[in-house]
Amino acid sequence: MEKRVSASAVAETESMVEVKNYIGGKWVSSSTSKWQDVNNPATGRPIGRVPFSTAGEVDAAVKAAKEAFPAWRATPPLERSRYFFRLKELMEDDLENIARTVTRENGKTIDDARGSVRRAIENVEVVTGIPSLMMGYNLEDGAGRNIDEEVIRQPLGVFTAICPFNFPAMVPFWFLPYAVACGNTFVLKPSEQVPLTQQRIFSQIDKVGFPPGVINLVNGGREAVDCLLDHPDIVGVSFVGSTPVAKYIYKRAAENGKRVQAQGGAKNVLVVMPDANYEKAIPNILGSCFGAAGQRCLAGSLIVAVGDAYGEVKRRLTEATAKMKVGNGLEPDTDMGPVISKEAKERILGYIDVGVKEGAELLFDGRQVKVEGHPDGFYVGPTIFDKVTPDMRIAREEIFGPVVGVIQAKDLDEALSIIASSPYGNSGSIYTESGKAAREFRYRAPVGNVGINIGVAAPMAYFPFSGQKSSFFGSHHGQGRDAIDFFTERKVVITRWL
């Protein structure tokens, strides 16, 4: 049975929800004249309205966070951790409703949504250990006789995160819990395409009873983002999205003297060796390429089949894809849901047309998929290209949809060279039974997240979500120890004992 939540929480109906901001511990309606519909991608129908908050509203959120910082910073880490024990409990109790909200506004299958909410909760679990995570280090006589030296970690002030549409629950929690547990205050800006999930989660944050202003929420588009990037009281920015926007965020925020971690796009390669265990590999590859309709930064988008693996991979992958059901993610037997929007659908279909014009051969064409009962949904079926070459646009550019290309390579060296030639370096995986090949791949693949017989190499919350080349801009990643480093400053204290 659903527990009672605040008035801001999202109902399980298709009724229109008016999205609000959460500033200084209160729900606030925006005064803006600019609003945008929030659509259910499965039906194409609006389920909410999101405001494009004004510069004044963004400033109010930052001001509330700034005013809350001194007292929150002075709150002992053990006390701060207790708020997150409570938040974990509330999110656990509301997991199913949060997941259903994710599916309704994002389109991913309900199982995928549940998994993503679980990952958000795991980040909350990690920061309940903040008294240990924030510990510094010291050395007696480290600077000479009777002179001790130590390092202590301190919070810096107000941080913000600008988040993408593809994981409305999980990605914000790569940042928010770590920043706040470390003693900072926070302003979250979710994607305007999927604001309802954080409305629901913030109803639980409100119940926890964080001091007013410690955690704030503002909705909006580019104007709100630019206000946050330029605001003199924001000390650091976290971002996940496409590479062009990541570069923009990184440059503009850094020019304003802020810390930045900006996760960019991807073109992830799955290498299949001839000795792969196909019975286990093919379902795993299928999930990597077509899970979340390919709208994951860890989605497999190129399959490099080495040697004799080429024919076997094509046959098995095509047969397995033919059995997939595309439909509404809330239906339990759905294997793949819609893409996020009509614009995304048109862009993905355009890339399929490009692949055909470039000379790639369609093994499986998802352009004509129809979903009974949802004629207006934003559906693109799973699509597989054969005879792809590394220089093709569909092999080099991020499509961010359920489109995968198959490339034949003569050996592992050629497969690794294909990965190395990509401007991206988010993730790469190898399917093999050979320890030698696995270690060679791990050693040489220029990517941040490596999978060995795993197609979605998603780090657990206590490990950083890595990335290289044009897939990441910054020095410290989200999650794990990197997050603690990003959200604290290390201060060196040298003491002479007289």
Side-chain angles (χ1 to χ4, degrees), residues 68-275:
F69 174 65
W72 184 246
R73 177 253 169 101
T75 302
L78 183 60
E79 291 183 28
R80 296 199 297 261
S81 72
R82 290 171 182 153
Y83 288 90
F84 289 97
F85 277 109
R86 176 62 173 152
L87 179 59
K88 176 192 178 303
E89 177 185 0
L90 291 172
M91 290 180 69
E92 290 277 10
D93 290 345
D94 204 34
L95 188 151
E96 183 65 17
N97 290 321
I98 297 172
R100 293 182 71 83
T101 305
V102 170
T103 295
R104 288 176 61 243
E105 68 174 348
N106 170 272
K108 66 179 67 203
T109 65
I110 187 62
D111 280 347
D112 194 2
R114 290 176 184 132
S116 71
V117 178
R118 171 58 55 202
R119 285 299 182 103
I121 294 172
E122 287 167 359
N123 280 284
V124 177
E125 285 183 295
V126 169
V127 304
T128 59
I130 202 65
S132 297
L133 295 171
M134 274 194 73
M135 284 183 179
Y137 49 92
N138 58 20
L139 183 64
E140 288 184 333
D141 299 322
R145 293 183 183 276
N146 299 318
I147 304 175
D148 299 339
E149 192 160 352
E150 62 185 316
V151 169
I152 57 177
R153 293 183 180 274
Q154 294 184 330
L156 292 94
V158 184
F159 281 83
T160 188
I162 300 160
C163 297
F165 73 82
N166 58 336
F167 284 94
M170 182 185 73
V171 168
F173 276 67
W174 288 354
F175 313 115
L176 185 156
Y178 297 93
V180 176
C182 284
N184 304 287
T185 53
F186 206 79
V187 179
L188 176 64
K189 208 297 286 185
S191 167
E192 62 273 23
Q193 293 181 286
V194 288
L196 304 183
T197 297
Q198 288 303 321
Q199 292 282 289
R200 178 126 209 154
I201 291 176
F202 265 72
S203 71
Q204 307 303 347
I205 289 174
D206 185 56
K207 284 183 182 180
V208 170
F210 286 91
V214 169
I215 305 177
N216 305 273
L217 173 74
V218 289
N219 295 278
R222 180 162 180 165
E223 180 184 1
V225 169
D226 286 346
C227 287
L228 291 167
L229 298 179
D230 296 341
H231 202 291
D233 293 328
I234 294 285
V235 298
V237 179
S238 302
F239 171 79
V240 177
S242 69
T243 289
V245 180
K247 287 181 178 179
Y248 172 81
I249 296 286
Y250 186 69
K251 181 176 185 292
R252 185 156 180 165
E255 285 176 344
N256 285 306
K258 306 183 191 309
R259 293 187 172 199
V260 194
Q261 47 183 187
Q263 194 82 31
K267 196 68 179 178
N268 305 313
V269 177
L270 310 180
V271 176
V272 186
M273 301 296 288
D275 67 338

Side-chain angles (χ1 to χ4, degrees), residues 369-392:
V369 68
K370 302 293 182 184
V371 176
E372 185 177 353
H374 299 304
D376 299 320
F378 311 133
Y379 295 97
V380 179
T383 300
I384 305 171
F385 276 108
D386 186 22
K387 298 183 179 177
V388 176
T389 59
D391 60 324
M392 290 181 176

Side-chain angles (χ1 to χ4, degrees), residues 268-271 280-281 283-289 296-301 427-431 449-458:
N268 305 313
V269 177
L270 310 180
V271 176
K280 294 182 178 179
N284 195 262
I285 292 171
L286 207 69
S288 175
C289 297
R296 284 195 289 227
C297 49
L298 291 177
S301 55
S427 176
S429 297
I430 186 170
Y431 294 89
N449 304 289
V450 172
I452 299 173
N453 295 316
I454 292 176
V456 180

Side-chain angles (χ1 to χ4, degrees), residues 37-57:
D37 284 346
V38 180
N39 293 312
N40 181 337
T43 65
R45 294 195 296 267
I47 55 176
R49 295 176 68 242
V50 61
F52 282 65
S53 298
T54 66
E57 289 163 345

Side-chain angles (χ1 to χ4, degrees), residues 303-449:
I303 301 171
V304 177
V306 175
D308 294 340
Y310 179 61
E312 194 72 8
V313 166
K314 288 198 301 177
R315 180 182 67 81
R316 288 177 178 261
L317 186 63
T318 305
E319 290 175 356
T321 302
K323 298 175 184 178
M324 291 184 67
K325 178 184 176 182
V326 179
N328 189 324
L330 290 175
E331 296 173 2
D333 58 344
T334 295
D335 297 304
M336 192 183 87
V339 297
I340 187 63
S341 65
K342 180 180 179 182
E343 292 76 17
K345 176 180 177 179
E346 291 173 350
R347 175 179 51 77
I348 295 164
L349 294 178
Y351 266 108
I352 298 174
D353 292 340
V354 166
V356 172
K357 292 176 182 177
E358 287 183 312
E361 181 181 304
L362 276 170
L363 295 178
F364 209 92
D365 189 348
R367 288 177 291 185
Q368 303 303 320
V369 68
K370 302 293 182 184
V371 176
E372 185 177 353
H374 299 304
D376 299 320
F378 311 133
Y379 295 97
V380 179
T383 300
I384 305 171
F385 276 108
D386 186 22
K387 298 183 179 177
V388 176
T389 59
D391 60 324
M392 290 181 176
R393 283 183 60 193
I394 60 170
R396 296 192 61 80
E397 298 179 11
E398 183 179 41
I399 298 174
F400 218 62
V403 180
V404 63
V406 180
I407 298 177
Q408 185 175 21
K410 65 178 182 294
D411 53 27
L412 180 57
D413 282 341
E414 184 178 358
L416 285 165
S417 71
I418 291 171
I419 297 174
S421 69
S422 172
Y424 299 106
N426 205 35
S427 176
S429 297
I430 186 170
Y431 294 89
T432 183
E433 298 280 276
S434 165
K436 180 181 184 299
R439 189 183 188 281
E440 188 77 2
F441 187 86
R442 166 180 163 169
Y443 189 83
R444 293 174 55 192
V447 298
N449 304 289

